């Protein structure tokens, strides 16, 4: 029997999971999602078959994955907390479920895997020598995925820079550091050094790229990695200037991120310690080479920066004309 395409998404209320669900749904996929709060998810994605459960529960993940063709693992521990204690068990549960169901795994990759020596241009073949604890965990996660692929479970990793978009969460730098959600833009905070480039991935474009790659499943190897270039700025502060322009406040000040305060308090505040560890990503240019992706798809989906920023700021309640209330994002999902 030929079964319809069914995708199980872990983290469907988060930024990446939401947009991947949208893109797959547009292509006729049936979407399932596992969530501890399915009522919240039903409001955001009413066409999804919501199942109550927790990614930390192996049995609940396995039950949700029955007859799935694809499992999207877009769930992360909130606020950088306890990555090893949460991220690895959730991943193992998902791998076991995908193996049992015969489903391909789709995993959103990050640039945490690379140390400063890997930059400025990151290719799929670039050696992953992590510089941080979170980077080491991400490398270990991808190692486990590669081992699973060696045992017959197909894996697709799509790596990108910092996410932003209308459904990005407080786990993102855009919503947590650059602007203040729920109020018009009066200033933009920039964490990077002057003259250092930075890569940004607009989530609807990323979700579209993932869906198109999934459609190429028959042409793919058991383990495939693609890099998504997104929006690249040779001088990262140009992105801050683009935010001002999209918000209609071109003269708003661009303020420096208070790294001195974050680093000074890092011994006492866990979140600050985790942020300090990732500072190097703002001190070196990190561009992703999308040549392999373009060769596969013919192009990378690309919304103009101005349109992408306007849509993002409007959804976050950061434009003067918007009356939309700030969405309560699920901080567990990425």
């Amino acid at each position: 029997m030929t079964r319809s395409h069914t995708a199980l998404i872990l983290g469907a209320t988060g930024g990446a999971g939401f947009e991947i669900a949208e893109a797959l749904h547009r292509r006729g996929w049936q979407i399932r999602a596992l969530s501890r709060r399915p009522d919240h998810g039903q409001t955001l994605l009413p066409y999804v078959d919501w199942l109550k459960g927790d990614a930390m529960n192996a049995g609940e993940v396995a039950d949700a994955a029955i007859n799935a063709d694809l499992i999207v693992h877009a769930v992360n521990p909130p606020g950088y907390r306890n990555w090893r204690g949460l991220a690895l068990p959730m991943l193992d549960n998902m791998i076991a479920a995908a193996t049992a169901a015969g489903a391909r795994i789709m995993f959103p990759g990050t640039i945490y895997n690379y140390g400063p020596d890997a930059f400025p241009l990151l290719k799929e073949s670039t050696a992953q020598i992590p510089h941080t604890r979170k980077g080491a965990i991400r490398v270990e996660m991808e190692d486990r995925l590669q081992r699973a692929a060696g045992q017959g479970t197909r894996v697709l990793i799509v790596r990108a820079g910092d996410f932003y978009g209308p459904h990005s969460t407080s786990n993102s730098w855009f919503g947590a550091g650059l602007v203040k959600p729920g109020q018009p833009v009066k200033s933009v905070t920039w964490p990077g050094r002057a003259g250092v480039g930075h890569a940004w991935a607009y989530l609807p474009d990323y979700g579209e790229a993932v869906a198109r790659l999934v459609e190429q499943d028959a042409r793919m190897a058991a383990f495939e990695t693609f890099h998504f270039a997104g929006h690249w700025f040779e001088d990262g502060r140009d992105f801050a200037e683009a935010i001002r322009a999209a918000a209609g406040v071109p003269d708003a000040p661009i303020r420096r991120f208070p790294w001195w305060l974050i680093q000074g308090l890092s011994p006492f505040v866990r979140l600050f310690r985790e942020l300090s560890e990732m500072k190097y990503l703002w001190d070196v240019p990190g561009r992703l080479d999308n040549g392999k992706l373009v060769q596969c798809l013919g192009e990378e989906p690309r919304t103009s920066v101005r349109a992408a920023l306007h849509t993002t700021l409007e959804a976050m309640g950061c434009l003067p004309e918007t009356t939309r209330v700030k969405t309560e994002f699920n901080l567990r999902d990425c």
Side-chain angles (χ1 to χ4, degrees), residues 30-260:
Q30 296 181 12
I31 310 298
R32 249 183 244 155
L34 185 70
S35 175
R36 293 173 303 160
R37 293 179 54 199
D39 54 335
H40 172 65
Q42 185 67 37
T43 302
L44 292 174
L45 294 167
Y47 57 80
V48 169
D49 179 15
W50 287 95
L51 305 174
K52 185 174 178 59
D54 194 322
M56 288 292 291
N57 186 306
E60 291 175 348
V61 177
D63 289 344
I66 292 174
N67 292 331
D69 301 281
L70 175 72
I71 300 180
V72 177
H73 190 81
V75 61
N76 271 328
Y80 291 120
R81 293 193 296 274
N82 192 17
W83 269 40
R84 177 164 292 279
L86 295 174
L88 293 174
M90 287 192 291
L91 183 79
D92 288 341
N93 292 343
M94 183 274 302
I95 291 173
T99 300
R104 180 179 281 276
I105 294 168
M106 188 277 142
F107 183 73
T110 75
I111 62 173
Y112 291 5
N113 304 49
Y114 303 100
D117 294 344
F119 299 95
L121 186 64
L122 302 174
K123 300 183 178 183
E124 289 84 358
S125 59
T126 300
Q128 296 185 9
I129 305 174
H131 184 65
T132 65
R133 288 170 297 166
K134 288 186 295 298
I137 292 171
R138 295 293 298 200
V139 169
E140 184 173 347
M141 293 173 80
E142 292 192 21
D143 285 345
R144 294 188 184 192
L145 289 168
Q146 190 160 18
R147 288 198 296 271
Q151 297 170 1
T153 301
R154 297 161 298 150
V155 174
L156 168 65
I157 297 174
V158 184
R159 195 180 319 284
D162 275 313
F163 286 142
Y164 76 104
H167 295 280
S168 56
T169 71
S170 296
N171 273 4
S172 74
W173 265 101
F174 192 98
L178 275 62
V179 299
K180 296 179 180 179
Q183 57 183 272
V185 175
K186 297 179 180 178
S187 65
V188 179
T189 302
W190 186 249
R193 293 168 50 192
V196 173
H198 201 79
W200 293 89
Y202 182 53
L203 282 163
D205 291 344
Y206 178 83
E208 176 68 17
V210 168
R212 293 186 193 180
L213 288 169
V214 166
E215 290 180 335
Q216 304 298 318
D217 183 79
R219 297 170 49 194
M220 290 186 189
F223 184 82
E224 289 278 12
T225 301
F226 291 87
H227 283 189
F228 179 89
H231 294 132
W232 166 258
F233 293 83
E234 292 289 346
D235 186 336
R237 280 177 62 94
D238 290 343
F239 188 68
E241 293 178 2
I243 293 173
R244 297 191 305 182
V249 287
D251 297 324
I254 299 176
R255 306 189 188 281
R256 297 180 63 182
F257 189 79
W259 283 114
W260 61 272

Side-chain angles (χ1 to χ4, degrees), residues 33 36 135 164 171 192 219 232 263 266 271 306 312 317-318 328:
R36 293 173 303 160
Y164 76 104
N171 273 4
R219 297 170 49 194
W232 166 258
Q263 291 178 315
S266 62
L271 177 60
R306 186 175 182 87
T312 301
C318 293
E328 286 187 9

